[in-house]
Amino acid sequence: MTRAAHTPTSPEKQMLSEQIYAHLRHAIMRGEYAPGDALKPQDLAKQHGVSLAVVREALVRLVGEGLAERLTNRGFAVPAFSDRRWQQIGEARRTIEPVLLRMSIERGDVGWEGDVRAAHHRLARTPAFTPEDGEYYSEAWAEAHRVFHRTLLAGCGNPVLLETFDRMWVASELARRWSAHRAPDRDAIDEHRRLEEAALARDPDTAADLLTRHLTLTTAALAEQEG
């Protein structure tokens, strides 16, 4: 009797898809795929020993985060480096995040202040670069950086707006990492310190201006290199 091919159950398929997603996300963020590189579902399925459906589910998730693009009749690819793309992402963040920061300063309580202090302390004490991470920001620093920025905005108390921040952050992560490589002399430590001080001083105008400049520098560095 011929044995039927194994078909993953829904929970098993979800677990496999999560593993493929995590692997691809890490590889893209680490620069193992160059901008514009193809992400071929058939090749990935064969490489990882999983079904096409599992791979496609992971790729669609990456598309939703801005870490992959779905090409008409050509499958998937890592986003190509494009000044226009990163300018649009930067414009979106400069438009939304200073507004959320103002709301946080207005609405944030003592607990929020403590969270901001703790998040900044963690960021300031985490090495941005380590030998194993080479030219890229360390994984620990990247996470501390994300937490600091999200904590600054969390005082707004609006989960819908914070979800928007989360999506924009992931979409801009590749640009930020490329900027780190292209602008190694940028004084991010001072930028973050001044942001914390302005937020805790309950100075919305200064804080919003500092955040706008902070977000502009990454986009500007990329634009200069592209030009």
Side-chain angles (χ1 to χ4, degrees):
M1 177 182 254
T2 303
R3 184 176 178 180
H6 172 65
T7 301
T9 62
S10 292
E12 182 182 1
K13 179 183 175 183
Q14 183 176 0
M15 179 186 70
L16 290 172
S17 179
E18 177 67 29
Q19 291 173 349
I20 300 302
Y21 158 78
H23 172 81
L24 289 174
R25 189 183 193 283
H26 181 73
I28 291 169
M29 294 304 305
R30 292 282 299 175
E32 294 175 22
Y33 290 94
D37 274 0
L39 297 169
K40 300 178 180 178
Q42 294 89 343
D43 292 349
L44 290 169
K46 183 177 180 181
Q47 176 185 346
H48 295 282
V50 297
S51 69
L52 273 175
V54 166
V55 171
R56 287 185 181 279
E57 186 174 303
L59 288 170
V60 167
R61 186 172 171 186
L62 290 168
V63 169
E65 292 188 341
L67 295 179
E69 293 180 336
R70 192 163 197 165
L71 308 177
T72 305
N73 299 323
R74 289 190 294 147
F76 300 83
V78 176
F81 181 81
S82 162
D83 179 56
R84 181 172 179 271
R85 173 186 174 83
W86 304 128
Q87 291 285 352
Q88 290 173 337
I89 293 172
E91 181 181 49
R93 293 190 63 188
R94 291 193 304 272
T95 299
I96 295 173
E97 292 182 35
V99 174
L100 296 189
L101 182 53
R102 286 179 177 275
M103 293 170 64
S104 280
I105 291 172
E106 177 185 343
R107 301 176 180 179
D109 57 14
V110 173
W112 170 74
E113 291 182 357
D115 291 342
V116 169
R117 288 187 186 280
H120 179 259
H121 180 77
R122 176 187 174 191
L123 177 61
R125 295 299 181 92
T126 302
F129 297 95
T130 60
E132 57 268 26
D133 288 290
E135 64 188 11
Y136 298 100
Y137 280 130
S138 71
E139 294 293 332
W141 188 91
E143 176 60 11
H145 185 225
R146 182 193 70 80
V147 170
F148 173 67
H149 276 272
R150 198 183 196 282
T151 302
L152 278 174
L153 309 183
C156 76
N158 187 318
V160 176
L161 289 172
L162 290 173
E163 287 171 8
T164 300
F165 163 80
D166 291 337
R167 289 194 297 272
M168 290 192 302
W169 182 271
V170 174
S172 68
E173 189 71 353
L174 275 176
R176 188 191 60 73
R177 291 199 174 197
W178 285 337
S179 175
H181 177 47
R182 293 165 183 244
D185 297 327
R186 181 176 173 185
D187 192 355
I189 294 175
D190 184 62
E191 291 174 37
H192 293 131
R193 177 186 58 78
R194 294 175 67 192
L195 267 172
E196 181 214 22
E197 290 175 351
L200 296 182
R202 303 286 179 162
D203 184 346
D205 291 337
T206 298
D209 287 346
L210 287 170
L211 182 56
T212 299
R213 175 171 172 74
H214 181 71
L215 297 173
T216 298
L217 286 174
T218 295
T219 306
L222 286 165
E224 288 168 9
Q225 290 294 330
E226 183 69 3

